[in-house]
Amino acid sequence: MMLDPQKILQDAPVADSFFEGFQERRVPLPEGHVFCRIKGEGPPLLLLHGYPQTSAIWHKVAPRLSQDYQVICADLRGYGRSAKPQTDAAHAPYTKRAMAGDLLALMDHLGHQRFLIGAHDRGARVAHRLAADQPDRVLGLSTLDIAPTREMYRDGDTAFAADYWHWYWLIQAAPFPERLISADPDYFWIKKCCSGASGARPFMRQALEEYLAAFRDPQTIHGACEDYRAAFTLDLKHDAADPGPITMPLLALWGAQGAIERHFDCLTLWKERANRVSGHSLPCGHYIPEDVPERLLQAWLPFFSDVMTGKISA
């Protein structure tokens, strides 16, 4: 069936509230800038989105979280309204280490030495690298719908490759994927994100408008491809050089109707990379924060509270 991006956008429901009361900031950093949305006065909680989205993914859960935390919803390097630096032949500016460096600088700018992280998809890979490189900065981490990168590449079979075709296509040398995506970015975005178990149902119109507008920028398309190229090259070298598992509490959540559930034993793989792992699936596909926000909050609120109160010591 042919997907019609304009019809999907027109039919998307309008959210009653979309980051009401959140400040929007463009924070200058040594290697560019980070765009973020911020609200709340409690302990800092950094939320990171995935591909091919922006910080808008958190609009259904961030308001509730901001009642207990200072919530910082950031656009990753190469995505949304954050900087899209020039790359190099090794893709070094788009390693998860480099992307995590932006976020450490952001949290330094905001005055937060230690913080919690909740992260989806590519953002969860950035969060994993940040936690591995800077364990004293991260109090607790929750990943959404990923297993660790190294282990997914290691254990993925042909059925996984069929589901995660973009992992193998976006790493092709520039400008091959960039040119094809740029020919019709709206169609590509809709085809990529609305073909899963939940279809277009998770996406509110305001978020969808933001995603499509961001992805019409050729620099965003290129930056996202560089993210994947770095994951297949330098990121795997960084993973191989890790001295051992991360030690802070990690809550892994994934969609019961998605590719992680179909192809991997998520908790077992995380236990190769982290010492203190818990987690379970949720009744949804890939886009957990938009698909089942209440179920996500039911898992996140006690986890983050237990970390902060010492019931799960960091």
Side-chain angles (χ1 to χ4, degrees):
M1 181 180 66
M2 183 69 174
L3 295 173
D4 183 344
Q6 287 306 310
K7 186 176 189 313
I8 288 174
L9 181 60
Q10 292 169 5
D11 290 346
V14 175
D16 293 334
S17 177
F18 191 76
F19 291 106
E20 184 176 346
F22 280 73
Q23 297 180 16
E24 293 190 352
R25 298 190 195 178
R26 185 180 185 274
V27 179
L29 301 174
E31 296 187 23
H33 69 274
V34 167
F35 171 82
C36 58
R37 296 165 154 114
I38 302 176
K39 184 179 180 182
E41 302 296 332
L45 170 57
L46 177 63
L47 300 182
L48 304 176
H49 67 89
Y51 175 89
Q53 297 183 284
T54 71
S55 54
I57 192 175
W58 305 112
H59 72 96
K60 294 180 181 178
V61 297
R64 172 62 187 87
L65 292 168
S66 71
Q67 296 176 23
D68 300 313
Y69 302 94
Q70 183 179 86
V71 174
I72 302 106
C73 308
D75 284 357
L76 297 172
R77 172 185 291 207
Y79 293 85
R81 285 178 266 181
S82 287
K84 299 160 183 70
Q86 290 285 333
T87 192
D88 61 24
H91 319 296
Y94 288 89
T95 62
K96 304 309 153 291
R97 180 167 287 160
M99 296 168 84
D102 288 343
L103 302 168
L104 285 168
L106 170 65
M107 299 307 275
D108 287 342
H109 176 87
L110 297 174
H112 301 313
Q113 177 61 29
R114 306 189 75 196
F115 46 91
L116 301 160
I117 307 179
H120 178 251
D121 190 76
R122 309 308 290 179
R125 303 187 191 285
V126 175
H128 180 205
R129 175 48 47 202
L130 193 160
D133 287 349
Q134 302 287 337
D136 293 338
R137 302 293 301 270
V138 180
L139 293 164
L141 165 64
S142 180
T143 61
L144 301 183
D145 213 52
I146 73 162
T149 305
R150 181 183 68 187
E151 286 68 20
M152 287 179 66
Y153 271 123
R154 182 194 70 197
D155 297 348
D157 58 13
T158 54
F160 166 69
D163 269 349
Y164 264 41
W165 52 269
H166 60 290
W167 269 39
Y168 303 93
W169 185 53
L170 297 176
I171 66 174
Q172 301 305 309
F176 175 48
E178 286 93 335
R179 286 188 65 178
L180 296 183
I181 296 169
S182 295
D184 194 344
D186 284 14
Y187 178 79
F188 178 86
W189 198 101
I190 293 296
K191 176 63 177 176
K192 168 67 181 65
C193 299
C194 299
S195 295
S198 300
R201 178 173 52 81
F203 306 120
M204 296 293 104
R205 188 178 304 171
Q206 297 97 315
L208 195 53
E209 287 174 342
E210 180 169 317
Y211 301 146
L212 294 175
F215 216 64
R216 292 175 191 135
D217 181 354
Q219 292 187 53
T220 301
I221 295 170
H222 179 57
C225 289
E226 284 295 293
D227 167 11
Y228 282 83
R229 292 174 183 130
F232 189 63
T233 54
L234 287 177
D235 285 349
L236 293 180
K237 294 180 180 179
H238 296 163
D239 281 354
D242 280 344
I246 59 175
T247 58
M248 72 287 297
L250 187 149
L251 175 67
L253 303 170
W254 64 94
Q257 300 163 19
I260 298 298
E261 173 76 13
R262 285 193 295 274
H263 301 294
F264 301 102
D265 184 336
C266 189
L267 289 184
T268 295
L269 293 185
W270 271 117
K271 287 174 182 177
E272 294 188 33
R273 307 301 303 279
N275 284 336
R276 306 171 63 195
V277 179
S278 61
H280 53 87
S281 67
L282 295 174
C284 62
H286 180 59
Y287 300 100
I288 294 172
E290 293 172 289
D291 201 352
V292 288
E294 292 302 325
R295 297 294 291 265
L296 177 57
L297 288 169
Q298 288 171 13
W300 268 10
L301 289 171
F303 172 72
F304 290 135
S305 175
D306 285 351
V307 171
M308 294 307 302
T309 59
K311 291 181 181 178
I312 307 175
S313 63

